[in-house]
Each structure stands twice: as C-alpha cells, then as structure tokens.
Amino acid sequence: MRRRDFIKVSGLAGLAALLGWRGWGKCGIARIRNLSGRGYPGRVIPLDYHKIANPGRWQG
Amino acid sequence: MGVGNMAGNVQCGLCPRQCLIRPGQSGDCRIRVNLDGRLTAVTYGYPCSLHVDPIEKKPLYHFLPGSTTFSLATVGCTLHCLNCQNWEISQAAPDTVPAYEVLPDKIAALAQSYECASVSYTYTDPAAFYEYALDCSKAVREKKLRNILVTAGYISPRPFRELCNNVDAAHIDLKSMSDKFYRDICGGMLRPVLDSLLTAKSAGIWVEIIHLIIPTLNDSDADLKMLVRWVRENMGTDTPLHFSRFFPRYRMRNLPPTSEETLARARELALAEGIKYVYVGNLLKPEWSATYCPQCKKELIARTGYRVGVLQIKDGKCPQCGTQIAGVWK
C-alpha cells in the first residue's frame, strides 16, 4: 500500500504514517478496510474527460 | 422499462436487481429515477465521455482491425466493482459529473464526421444507459456504421436481446466463474452475466470475451480452468478470449498488478484447452497480442499496444494455408 492511501484510511494512522510509522499498514488493518469497500474515505473528483478516455490508458 | 404500483413506486426491470424505486428516488445505478411515478433515464442524451479510440482499445481484435471507433458513455453502472478503472464516472451520481448534451442523431453524425467505422458504448456500462444506447444504435445504423457494446453483461435478458438486435459486436466482461466473486467484489450475480453471453451468441453478433485477472481473487488454476472450459463449451473455440492485467484502482489499491507469470499461465492454459485466439492485454507484449493462424501458426495481425502493424488476412482467411479466421474483417 502506498503511503498516500495509507494516510487516507484514518486520521490517527495517517498522522502516525506522516511521522514515519508503517505498523498498521503492515499488520493489515488498513488493507482490510480498503478491500472491504467500507470506510474508504475517497471522494468523487471533478471529471477530466480526456483523462478518462485517453487512448493511452488501459483497455475498455 | 418498468411497472408502477398504487403507492407511486416503480419497479425497474432493466437489470437483474429489479429495483423498487420510490417517488423521487433513483435505482441502484443512480441514473434511473422515479419522476412522478414514471421511470426516467436521467442521463439520456447526456454523455460524459466522448472520444475517438482505436478499436483495439475496447479491445476487439477480430472486428474491423485497425479502424477507429467513436466511444461514448454516460455516468452510472449496474455493477459496483471495487476495482473499477473508470469509477469517477461509473460510480458517480449524474448531477456530480459535467456532461455534454448530444442526442442520438448527433452521435451518428459525429461518428461519421470523425470517419469512424463504428460507435462503441463503453467506459461505463451501456446496460445502465440502455435507452440512449438503443436509440443511438438505431441512428448509427441509418448512417451505415457499426455498433459495439462493451459491457459486463449485467442486464435482464429481454432488453439485452433487443439491444443485440441493433448492434454488430459485443465485448463482454466475464469477471469470474464464482458467484461469490460477483457478490463480494462487484455487487452482482454470475448467472445473469452467463445468460447475457449466451444471448449475444444466439443473436448472431460478433462476441469477444475479456477476463481481468486479479491477484489472489480469481487467478488460481482452478478458477481459470473453469472459466476457459465454460467459454469453450458454451461460446465455442473461435470466440477470442482476452486476459487483462489488473492495476490497483478505486477501492482495491491493496493488491499488486497482475504478474506476467500469471498472465502467461492463463494464456497457456486457454491455448491448451483449445481456445484458438487468446490475447493478453494491458501489457506491452506484442507476441501475446498478435493474431496467429490456429492451423499453420503464421502471424496474421501484428499489434503493438493499440496499433495494428501488419494485417495479412485475405477475405477472412490465412494467406498461407487458407484456414478461415473467425471475425468480421470488412
């Protein structure tokens, strides 16, 4: 898990990660929350049409 | 497409979810809304993505290779895959995403003006923007262009059959042969997807299948064998099978990209089971995206990324041994 994602998962873990602590990421709490789809703090970002439909991106 | 009741609720019949929608509310796809007791597709005529793509990006490898396709999508989807690569539009509400106003006739005219051979309903799922895709496909046919569905196939059989009657090719995503996978990862069910594959085949349109291999979730030998055997027995060995590489996206950033070894294993397994045309996508490996004659093994179509290099099929046949190569070539 990248640090940016790790920071998103929870305030406390995020703060700890900023200070260089990676323990929860390794023990999997953040990972489980992310996989289950619950507790994901991401938000819908403004759309960039060309980013979505760029021919250089993945199939689909 | 839906039925109402005394309380003003409307049941949508488009996808297997059969959402019962209260007045003013939307179904699970977010874009089919009960407005005053009438089911309304609120993204009709409002695509959020319009782009000219190479047809190899869909990916369709046996349908007009080397041509461009006018691709469009509205927001919304009938599934909610945790690994969705277009989640910014597929999982968004329609009022949160800017959109163009383009009616079906204009779509057909735009495709023609950009010299595209076809129009693709892609990026999100045409199953969600069904009415718009259906009307566009009719307008596009009037201009003598082809229609392509890029879909996960999570739609009820009757509307899908009607859509198939108006399109020329479908690229259908078979995500797993496990119902549990569909329930846990996609928020759907397996059976309707298999039914859609069979419906597309029986409708006589050109079908290619894609399977995204996600590490630890659907990459075991047993999973792959089950999928390949189902394809062989129900769709035939002429149906191209694409294995696609997973990249961490949306709510599934904890898993690594699919390894090259896994993709090689899947490819070998499918070839060993008798599938004639097996491809690996999202990986720059020209030898795995080329089309070979199943008889003499001559390389017939060379591809690099989404670009077609040498195209050696003559009248749908291998120029060396004369074997018929399944597909739509002109």
Side-chain angles (χ1 to χ4, degrees):
Chain A
M1 182 179 289
R2 287 174 300 178
R3 175 174 287 209
R4 195 185 64 200
D5 299 327
F6 184 78
I7 291 167
K8 277 184 188 172
V9 171
S10 87
L12 184 62
L15 184 63
L18 277 174
L19 297 172
W21 183 68
R22 308 296 296 267
W24 283 13
K26 282 178 188 165
C27 78
I29 291 173
R31 216 172 290 162
I32 291 163
R33 290 187 67 176
N34 217 358
L35 179 62
S36 71
R38 287 184 288 274
Y40 181 79
R43 62 191 173 85
V44 176
I45 57 169
L47 182 73
D48 172 353
Y49 305 106
H50 303 290
K51 190 178 166 197
I52 295 296
N54 187 327
R57 280 166 61 83
W58 303 317
Q59 293 174 330
Chain B
M1 185 161 294
V3 290
N5 69 8
M6 294 288 282
N9 297 338
V10 173
Q11 184 161 34
C12 177
L14 179 62
C15 90
R17 268 181 229 286
Q18 308 278 309
C19 296
L20 188 64
I21 307 170
R22 283 189 237 166
Q25 301 286 309
S26 72
D28 186 69
C29 60
R30 297 190 180 93
I31 61 170
R32 301 175 71 77
V33 179
N34 178 351
L35 291 178
D36 302 325
R38 228 179 130 192
L39 189 61
T40 308
V42 293
T43 60
Y44 186 101
Y46 292 98
C48 61
S49 299
L50 295 169
H51 206 275
V52 176
D53 282 335
I55 201 163
E56 283 72 23
K57 185 175 180 288
K58 301 300 105 196
L60 275 178
Y61 281 5
H62 288 231
F63 189 86
L64 309 177
S67 66
T68 53
T69 182
F70 190 83
S71 304
L72 67 101
T74 80
V75 298
C77 189
T78 52
L79 290 175
H80 307 291
C81 305
L82 299 180
N83 57 298
C84 184
Q85 63 167 321
N86 284 338
W87 63 275
E88 293 100 327
I89 50 175
S90 73
Q91 305 303 316
D95 53 349
T96 61
V97 176
Y100 306 97
E101 186 180 351
V102 193
L103 290 172
D105 287 342
K106 177 82 175 163
I107 290 288
L110 278 171
Q112 209 169 34
S113 70
Y114 283 105
E115 298 178 350
C116 295
S118 58
V119 172
S120 291
Y121 310 95
T122 178
Y123 304 135
T124 59
D125 202 309
F129 58 93
Y130 176 78
E131 290 83 358
Y132 185 47
L134 187 63
D135 287 356
C136 283
S137 65
K138 290 174 183 168
V140 165
R141 275 212 165 159
E142 283 176 15
K143 300 270 186 192
K144 311 282 183 212
L145 302 179
R146 315 285 179 93
N147 287 293
I148 297 167
L149 295 175
V150 180
T151 175
Y154 200 64
I155 180 170
S156 300
R158 197 166 56 88
F160 190 58
R161 202 168 296 120
E162 194 179 345
L163 196 52
C164 283
N165 290 338
N166 289 281
V167 302
D168 304 280
H171 189 97
I172 302 181
D173 190 357
L174 180 53
K175 296 169 190 290
S176 170
M177 286 303 288
S178 154
D179 195 58
K180 187 174 184 321
F181 179 99
Y182 269 93
R183 285 178 191 278
D184 293 351
I185 307 297
C186 309
M189 293 179 286
L190 169 65
R191 191 64 245 176
V193 178
L194 299 180
D195 288 343
S196 292
L197 279 157
L198 298 172
T199 300
K201 184 168 172 64
S202 66
I205 62 174
W206 179 250
V207 179
E208 299 193 20
I209 297 172
I210 191 163
H211 176 58
L212 180 77
I213 302 182
I214 306 176
T216 73
L217 296 179
N218 61 4
D219 64 342
S220 72
D221 274 357
D223 289 337
L224 293 168
K225 259 183 201 162
M226 200 189 292
L227 183 131
V228 167
R229 283 179 186 165
W230 188 91
V231 170
R232 188 187 63 193
E233 284 158 20
N234 295 279
M235 305 299 290
T237 54
D238 277 339
T239 302
L241 179 57
H242 300 252
F243 292 111
S244 193
R245 190 182 195 200
F246 161 84
F247 286 96
R249 290 282 285 154
Y250 191 35
R251 296 180 175 179
M252 201 179 280
R253 300 187 192 209
N254 56 318
L255 295 174
T258 317
S259 69
E260 215 172 297
E261 293 74 38
T262 303
L263 294 162
R265 182 162 50 86
R267 181 175 179 272
E268 281 160 22
L269 203 145
L271 289 169
E273 289 285 339
I275 306 289
K276 290 179 187 166
Y277 310 104
V278 183
Y279 302 101
V280 173
N282 286 347
L283 182 74
L284 200 61
K285 198 135 177 134
E287 61 270 33
W288 288 355
S289 56
T291 299
Y292 300 96
C293 171
Q295 193 65 36
C296 68
K297 309 298 176 199
K298 180 180 170 58
E299 187 183 72
L300 299 173
I301 308 176
R303 299 181 184 87
T304 308
Y306 302 135
R307 292 198 182 132
V308 170
V310 186
L311 177 59
Q312 298 199 45
I313 294 175
K314 299 268 184 267
D315 300 326
K317 291 179 180 168
C318 169
Q320 189 163 281
C321 68
T323 301
Q324 189 76 36
I325 308 298
V328 177
W329 308 108
K330 59 183 177 182

